[in-house]
Amino acid sequence: MHGTVAAGYEGVREEFAKVVAGEREDYAGQLVAYVRGELVVDLWSGPEFTADTLTGVFSSTKGAAHLVVALLVQDGVLDPDQRVSHYWPEFAAEGKQDITLREVLAHRAGVVGADAGFSLEELADDRLIAARIAGQRPYWRPGTAFGYHAWVIGALTGEVVRRVTGRSIQELFEERVRAPYGLDFYLGLPEELEPRFATTLPMLPTPEQQAEIDAEEVTGAESLGGIAFNEHRADAPELWDFPNQRIARAQGQASAGGVASARGLAGMYAAATTGLNGGPPLLKPDTMAEFAQIQSIGYDVVSRVHKAFGLGFSIAGEFYPFLGQGAFGHSGAAGSQALADPRSGLAYGYNRRRYAYPGGAAPENDKLLRACVEAARATR
């Protein structure tokens, strides 16, 4: 294990050491925390893995994409309660004319995928996804339920952004967020940074874990969940392998194609909520409060579990009850987690190379994040 922690954060280092000791010998991960803009935790471990190593962060990408949307709402360029078809007329097809941007951001639009699915090349292309979804009939009556728009939400919000500004979410993220702060978080990894990229490794469950996987109810490929996760397409890429494909990380698909380190994950939320490198926060308190307010909560008809969403972000306190009210962020399939807890001033980023069991936010995030929160509150 390598890295440093500030005084008062020794307990975080101890928790990270327990994670490293309890994992396989090839475990590789990074843990970073800022408190009120100050770097207080910067730890990493693993073979050929450093603080500067970059990996695919899957759905943690959604936080970056929707920070751009939040900035445009803050600027008065976008209105969450405006109809999407006002900005993007083609979206009105198949009964979608009244869906608002708020409903899309809250995973209530019902257009979680396309009947024909997407190949790897198509899935990496936000513009193509948006064009396909524009002609797609919703899978439920918009606004009556919510379900995770796993692969497509960034393409939908991104098309709205492009229609209004003439720029892509990726371009605006680079210009307004990544470049000014020098963040290691890319929606489109430049070719020259490829040597720093580490491929995601597949899950290697223990026999006991494999038995649990086998015992779980299997979601059919043609089910709502199967369509949302593109499992009904025969030539679809495996989820865990998506960022390993150069086309995916080069184009920076706004739902799951981001590449980052834990420093980049935590640094983005610090820049957004408390300020970073001496600068003011990107988001004003009212903007933060609106995007972190619960919009959808309860049974997610796609994932078939309890979830909670704000506007483009997950409501972090619903999964980690020890966080303060108003905490928001987004996790990624292999186990990455990135969020802000404005009440404690914490911005948190965790990244791991091997796909975690049982997927989604890796279970070690609970103890690591709790240790960070406790230290942040104790050192106020």
Side-chain angles (χ1 to χ4, degrees), residues 314-379:
S314 292
I315 303 302
E318 191 67 15
F319 304 97
Y320 304 110
F322 49 83
L323 291 173
Q325 190 278 331
F328 65 100
H330 218 292
S331 63
S336 65
Q337 178 63 271
L339 58 83
D341 181 15
R343 289 180 179 264
S344 66
L346 174 70
Y348 173 92
Y350 175 72
N351 203 15
R352 55 175 290 150
R353 185 175 188 184
R354 185 174 292 283
Y355 201 99
Y357 174 85
E364 63 264 27
N365 274 294
D366 186 86
K367 291 184 177 179
L368 293 173
L369 180 56
R370 186 187 299 269
C372 288
V373 171
E374 290 176 352
R377 291 173 178 167
T379 55

Side-chain angles (χ1 to χ4, degrees), residues 50-326:
T50 73
D52 295 321
T53 299
L54 304 169
T55 73
V57 294
F58 298 86
S59 288
S60 291
T61 307
K62 294 179 174 71
H66 294 124
L67 175 55
V68 172
V69 175
L71 289 170
L72 294 174
V73 170
Q74 182 170 272
D75 294 345
V77 174
L78 291 176
D79 177 0
D81 295 311
Q82 181 59 266
R83 292 175 293 110
V84 172
S85 59
H86 171 80
Y87 302 116
W88 174 14
E90 297 90 333
F91 186 78
E94 298 291 341
K96 301 193 299 300
Q97 65 275 1
D98 293 326
I99 295 175
T100 65
L101 179 58
R102 184 180 299 275
E103 287 174 318
V104 172
L105 287 164
H107 297 267
R108 306 187 70 84
V111 280
V112 294
D115 290 342
F118 303 97
S119 67
L120 168 63
E121 291 74 18
E122 293 168 340
L123 205 58
D125 187 340
D126 279 338
R127 294 291 307 281
L128 186 148
I129 293 172
R132 187 82 59 80
I133 297 296
Q136 175 68 47
R137 185 174 182 81
Y139 290 98
W140 65 83
R141 184 178 177 184
T144 61
F146 78 96
Y148 189 37
H149 289 53
W151 279 116
V152 304
I153 189 171
L156 300 180
T157 54
E159 187 64 17
V160 171
V161 167
R162 191 185 71 82
R163 294 296 178 110
V164 173
T165 68
R167 311 284 299 285
S168 69
I169 271 183
Q170 291 83 352
E171 290 169 333
L172 291 172
F173 179 75
E174 174 68 19
E175 178 182 296
R176 300 191 63 173
V177 182
R178 197 211 68 76
Y181 296 96
L183 298 175
D184 268 341
F185 196 154
Y186 299 89
L187 300 191
L189 184 67
E191 181 72 36
E192 61 269 22
L193 296 183
E194 279 292 318
R196 292 174 54 195
F197 177 76
T199 55
T200 298
L201 302 177
M203 183 194 302
L204 287 178
T206 65
E208 294 77 16
Q209 290 170 342
Q210 187 61 55
E212 291 180 6
I213 293 171
D214 294 341
E216 290 179 356
E217 180 181 355
V218 177
T219 300
E222 300 293 337
S223 69
L224 188 58
I227 292 169
F229 285 93
N230 203 43
E231 295 168 356
H232 61 312
R233 176 76 180 232
D235 61 345
E238 292 281 351
L239 173 58
W240 71 268
D241 199 39
F242 182 66
N244 294 341
Q245 309 305 313
R246 173 61 190 164
I247 189 175
R249 58 184 183 272
Q251 295 183 193
Q253 193 246 42
S255 296
V259 172
S261 67
R263 286 178 178 174
L265 293 169
M268 184 190 76
Y269 281 95
T273 60
T274 64
L276 190 65
N277 303 334
L282 288 167
L283 297 180
K284 297 176 182 178
D286 286 352
T287 309
M288 248 185 286
E290 180 171 16
F291 274 73
Q293 188 177 49
I294 293 172
Q295 306 288 323
S296 300
I297 189 169
Y299 182 76
D300 180 312
V301 298
V302 167
S303 303
R304 300 185 182 184
V305 295
H306 180 91
K307 284 193 174 181
F309 292 106
L311 295 179
F313 297 93
S314 292
I315 303 302
E318 191 67 15
F319 304 97
Y320 304 110
F322 49 83
L323 291 173
Q325 190 278 331

